[in-house]
Amino acid sequence: MSFVKEFKEFAMRGNVIDMAVGVVIGAAFGKIISSLVDDIIMPLVGVATGGMNFTDYKWVIQQAVIDGTTQEVLKPEVTMNWGSWVQTIVDFLIVAFCIFVAIKGINQLKRTKEEAPEPEAPAEPTKEEVLLTEIRDLLKEKK
């Protein structure tokens, strides 16, 4: 079997296509959640914490070396940006919570749909009803 034919069979399998669609939808959903976090939730968190922005916090390990006459930075400062790390953790927790709420809502919708009562099938006629129906049909035939 040729390499191209094998690849075509692999690529056209249902689970590969489903996975590709899932990745694309997941990326789009990730952008929506990131926008929710960056544009809506984090500004509210900033207001609630008095305008605190964690990304500005850092430990300076080595000061920058600046030329005294030209004020040109000869060697930039070396920092440990712990505030950026904290901000990333906060972002992750908010994104994880938003995804949890969205999936919980989807699962609730699925459960509601699955639990919807199906219309009951008409009850089977009793033996007496079947017998009476046969008698009726026989009487109709005699006429």
Side-chain angles (χ1 to χ4, degrees), residues 63-95:
Q63 294 290 334
V65 176
I66 300 174
D67 186 6
T69 56
T70 62
Q71 296 300 318
E72 182 181 340
V73 176
L74 300 175
K75 189 174 180 183
E77 68 182 2
V78 178
T79 61
M80 188 177 296
N81 301 321
W82 66 270
S84 180
W85 181 70
V86 170
Q87 184 70 42
T88 302
I89 290 173
V90 170
D91 290 350
F92 168 77
L93 292 174
I94 293 170
V95 168

Side-chain angles (χ1 to χ4, degrees), residues 4-26:
V4 174
K5 187 174 180 181
E6 248 184 278
F7 178 74
K8 182 179 177 184
E9 286 179 13
F10 168 77
M12 298 315 278
R13 278 192 209 154
N15 56 355
V16 173
I17 293 170
D18 291 344
M19 185 179 69
V21 169
V23 168
V24 171
I25 295 289

